[in-house]
């Protein structure tokens, strides 16, 4: 699964780890995060993330 980087603050969402600070269980792909999910660091929406690489 691809990692996604917040273009606002640089936070990296790693699907293997999930988002313990944002309620995303390990193994949750970025695409399967809820539409209202936001960056746990800066609060940016999913549309502010880009796939790594």
């Amino acid at each position: 699964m691809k990692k996604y980087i917040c273009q606002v603050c640089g936070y990296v969402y790693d699907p293997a780890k999930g988002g313990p600070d944002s309620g995303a269980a390990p193994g949750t792909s970025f695409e399967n995060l809820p539409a209202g999910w936001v960056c746990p660091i800066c609060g940016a929406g999913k549309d502010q993330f880009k796939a790594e690489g």
Side-chain angles (χ1 to χ4, degrees):
M1 286 189 261
K2 289 183 179 178
K3 294 179 182 177
Y4 283 78
I5 302 170
C6 178
Q7 299 299 296
V8 176
C9 71
Y11 171 80
V12 177
Y13 178 76
D14 182 349
K17 296 178 181 174
D21 296 338
S22 60
T28 304
S29 70
F30 186 79
E31 293 81 4
N32 287 334
L33 291 171
W37 184 87
V38 296
C39 176
I41 303 299
C42 70
K46 287 178 69 177
D47 61 332
Q48 297 296 314
F49 279 73
K50 299 280 185 189
E52 184 178 66

